[in-house]
Amino acid sequence: MPATPTTSTPQADAALPAAAPAATPSLMRRMACWLSAGMPLFGVEFIAGYLFRALSQQRHALDHRHALQAFLFVVFGIYFTWFWAKGQTLAMKTWNIRVVDRAGRPISQPRALLRYLLSWLWFLPPLAAVSPFALSGGETLVLVIGWVAVWAILARFHPQRQFWHDALAGTRLVHFEHRKK
């Protein structure tokens, strides 16, 4: 008896159960990943800062300070957008975390860029709040760390325990282990 080829029809696909959604990593694991994501950024900032200083012929550390900040904002945006569109940053690989869209598919570069812009909600509210006041660096640091803790804890109120910037960007962080072949 000849084997019949297996073909997929839309009706058959609709009858198949949907794959179970990937588990959301714990808040502690996501925060550990968040902190370890800063390590490669030191290297990115060093190289980008060196390039900026060489191209702008910067003589004093405060020369072109705002231009350097804007340049680093763009460089960091390129870094994160490129890695997120591929699914993971270096830190995310270490912690077995992947960024996907709401349906569990890889995200596009425009969505990764939107996620990058919305991720500044980790820092901009406290920095905007302290800007009118002449606070010391230590006081500013305490306020920023306090806001980061509040923003992270607010994920507990999301139905899938996702960070709110992910919810706004239409993305989510999921547990993902690379399978060795």
Side-chain angles (χ1 to χ4, degrees):
M1 178 174 230
T4 58
T6 57
T7 59
S8 179
T9 63
Q11 294 83 8
D13 288 342
L16 293 174
T24 301
S26 71
L27 182 59
M28 292 300 285
R29 213 167 105 216
R30 287 181 287 156
M31 290 308 295
C33 179
W34 184 84
L35 285 172
S36 60
M39 296 302 173
L41 289 182
F42 283 119
V44 171
E45 189 277 332
F46 179 78
I47 293 168
Y50 180 78
L51 178 65
F52 178 86
R53 288 176 185 91
L55 293 175
S56 67
Q57 298 180 354
Q58 185 178 15
R59 301 280 183 237
H60 187 273
L62 294 179
D63 290 345
H64 316 295
R65 177 176 63 154
H66 297 296
L68 174 60
Q69 290 171 342
F71 181 70
L72 289 174
F73 177 81
V74 170
V75 169
F76 289 162
I78 292 167
Y79 171 84
F80 282 114
T81 299
W82 190 77
F83 274 108
W84 287 338
K86 297 199 174 295
Q88 296 172 299
T89 62
L90 299 173
M92 292 168 93
K93 284 183 181 184
T94 302
W95 290 96
N96 296 322
I97 295 174
R98 190 173 201 68
V99 62
V100 295
D101 68 7
R102 287 185 181 126
R105 298 181 305 252
I107 63 174
S108 64
Q109 285 195 341
R111 187 166 303 271
L113 178 61
L114 176 62
R115 184 176 193 266
Y116 171 70
L117 295 173
L118 289 170
S119 71
W120 280 93
L121 290 171
W122 285 98
F123 301 107
L124 288 183
L127 294 178
V130 302
S131 65
F133 308 105
L135 298 179
S136 70
E139 293 168 327
T140 301
L141 182 64
V142 166
L143 287 174
V144 170
I145 290 172
W147 172 253
V148 166
V150 166
W151 188 252
I153 291 169
L154 285 175
R156 308 279 291 163
F157 298 103
H158 186 272
Q160 287 86 38
R161 304 251 192 243
Q162 295 292 327
F163 292 128
W164 286 99
H165 69 278
D166 279 312
L168 294 170
T171 60
R172 59 193 184 102
L173 296 177
V174 297
H175 175 77
F176 175 82
E177 285 197 46
H178 180 69
R179 305 205 193 284
K180 295 181 181 179
K181 294 180 182 179

